[in-house]
Amino acid sequence: MRNKVIKGARAALFLSLLTMFACEGTTPTGTTGSPKPKKSPTTSVSPSPKASPDATGGTSPVPSATPTGNGTTKPSATPAGNGTTKPSATPTTSGTTKPSATPTASATTGSPTPTPSPAGTALPTGNLKSYTLAGDDIPTLRDGNAIQAEFSTPSGVVADATGNLYVADTGNSCIRKLVIGTALAVTTYAGDKTNGSNGNIDDPDPFKARFNYPKGLAIDAAGNIYVADTGNNCIRMIAAGTAAVTTVAGSSTSGLKNDAGTAAQFNSPAGLCVDGTKLYVADTGNAQVRMIDLADATHPVSTYAGSTVGIKNDPDATKAQLNGPFALAVGPDKMLYVLESLNHRIRMVDPTGTKAVTTFAGPAESVNPGAEGDTADGPLADARFNFQTGGGLLFGPDGTLYVVDGGNARLRKITAGQVSRVAGDGTISVPGSRHGNYKDDTNGMAALTAEYDRPIGIALAKGVLYIADSGNHRIRSLK
């Protein structure tokens, strides 16, 4: 039997470092107030993400930073007195392009054009129920049966062609695998499977490789998994079949530099999205979306959208301004959708021409996005979000865009130009909170009355939605 008291004390000590680093404004989190502590029967453990001087592995996004001339970055957001973060730039109205509330270049519809549903990816229908699939309230590392397994602030989640899940176990600095079946087994797929130690090591042996608070995940058609290694400021790849770990682009040096492979520089990258041979990166600390050309063996990196910190739509993507890009998704219309953690909007990049940037959901750029906790549903321009703790994006096979609204502890969806709630009542959950527990309640709980705590990643496999419930250290399912 594991000594949870020792592990809890270790986690609490490590989390004390988070507060120190977060106050310095150099990490991708630290912009929100102190999260509520989780408690085990013997010790007090906080669910907030662990931290290093470079990045944290928790659920709060980095304050976007402006690159300086020497290749380093300076924080662009400052904590407000209430524990929230003020964006560093005021919305600009003059000389900008007014945002569009539609996802297509023709601006004729309110939702992306649906595509046929791939086999095995049908959406869940009817009255959804929420379940705990794996994990509990203790933020530590443990493999085994799903109901006994433990995570620490899980973030990104993707599904492979067979329906198995891969999770960026941020606080444990490793990638976990959930084999979906009768046994629901959880294993460590890459990284230190014993102690969850961090580092920056490539290795053919995945268990000798080391990550540093990874967040976003993406998977290509061949089954290769790409990892936004946030604390290492680089993008890694876990090869299909062998699980060998290599660095695709970036290095441990934080900065903003377009170049080939490891000569390029990122600043706390968080979200990833694969579209054919293009790998898009939400370069959170640089307030940009970067693109890696996977078809070129040298993996050249370029700026796809964004310039300096702010909120500005523009016909030229490289002149537009973003703030805290965190999650990405390519729609069936081939538009790139960008969830902004500090602008609390979903922006859209047209892949044609100069790649015009517009606002897809949330208020116009001249309008304040609303107070923290604003959960307004309805038409795209009237909807309000709270992405301060991050979030996720996922397109369903019918064109529905699922939005993990982390700060509002809800899962929402956008279809036919309308935003509506799918799961979560907006209450930040505490240990023993309302959710269908896999071990004790196989009947689940109505999704709309379930509770989450800073959810981030989302995946769909075989008609089931999966959410990384970061603050609860669990993987939840909706079906």
Side-chain angles (χ1 to χ4, degrees), residues 20 31 38 51 87 155 174 206 212 262 264 346 367 370 393 462:
M20 176 180 69
T31 63
K38 299 287 181 182
S155 296
C174 61
N212 192 5
T262 56
I346 300 172
V367 178
L393 296 174
K462 297 185 177 180

Side-chain angles (χ1 to χ4, degrees), residues 388-401:
Q388 191 164 357
T389 61
L393 296 174
L394 171 74
F395 274 97
D398 64 347
T400 297
L401 176 57

Side-chain angles (χ1 to χ4, degrees), residues 74-318:
K74 53 184 179 181
S76 64
T78 55
N82 60 0
T84 62
T85 300
K86 298 178 181 178
S88 62
T90 3
T92 305
T93 56
S94 59
T96 62
T97 300
K98 287 295 180 182
S100 166
T102 65
T104 62
S106 61
T108 58
T109 63
S111 61
T113 304
T115 53
S117 175
T121 59
L123 291 169
T125 58
N127 296 322
L128 296 182
K129 289 188 175 183
S130 175
Y131 302 81
T132 288
L133 183 70
D136 61 22
D137 296 310
I138 308 301
T140 188
L141 174 63
R142 183 184 186 187
D143 289 336
N145 187 284
I147 61 174
Q148 298 173 330
E150 291 172 338
F151 300 82
S152 179
T153 57
S155 296
V157 55
V158 294
D160 64 19
T162 63
N164 294 320
L165 301 182
Y166 300 85
V167 178
D169 191 357
T170 306
N172 285 320
S173 290
C174 61
I175 310 303
R176 313 286 289 281
K177 180 179 180 179
L178 281 75
V179 179
I180 304 300
T182 304
L184 289 173
V186 177
T187 61
T188 298
Y189 189 64
D192 183 358
K193 64 180 180 180
T194 303
N195 299 310
S197 62
N198 58 14
N200 187 1
I201 302 173
D202 289 340
D203 202 283
D205 183 343
F207 304 123
K208 293 181 180 178
R210 293 294 180 267
F211 302 88
N212 192 5
Y213 308 106
K215 283 190 176 177
L217 296 180
I219 189 167
D220 66 18
N224 299 307
I225 295 174
Y226 299 90
V227 182
D229 196 354
T230 306
N232 283 325
N233 302 299
C234 63
I235 310 303
R236 316 284 289 279
M237 186 186 82
I238 307 174
T242 65
V245 177
T246 56
T247 298
V248 176
S251 67
S252 57
T253 301
S254 172
L256 175 58
K257 181 182 179 182
N258 289 324
D259 210 323
T262 56
Q265 291 179 340
F266 300 88
N267 184 5
S268 304
L272 298 176
C273 178
V274 172
D275 184 28
T277 59
K278 299 175 182 177
L279 177 61
Y280 297 102
V281 180
D283 193 0
T284 309
N286 284 323
Q288 295 186 1
V289 175
R290 315 281 290 281
M291 187 185 77
I292 303 173
D293 185 357
L294 299 176
D296 187 327
T298 65
H299 298 147
V301 178
S302 59
T303 296
Y304 189 74
S307 54
T308 57
V309 174
I311 174 168
K312 176 187 174 184
N313 292 321
D314 199 280
D316 184 342
T318 59

Side-chain angles (χ1 to χ4, degrees), residues 25-31 61-65 74-78 85 284-285 323-324 342:
T26 59
T27 68
T29 65
T31 63
V62 78
S64 294
K74 53 184 179 181
S76 64
T78 55
T85 300
T284 309
N323 200 357
L342 296 179

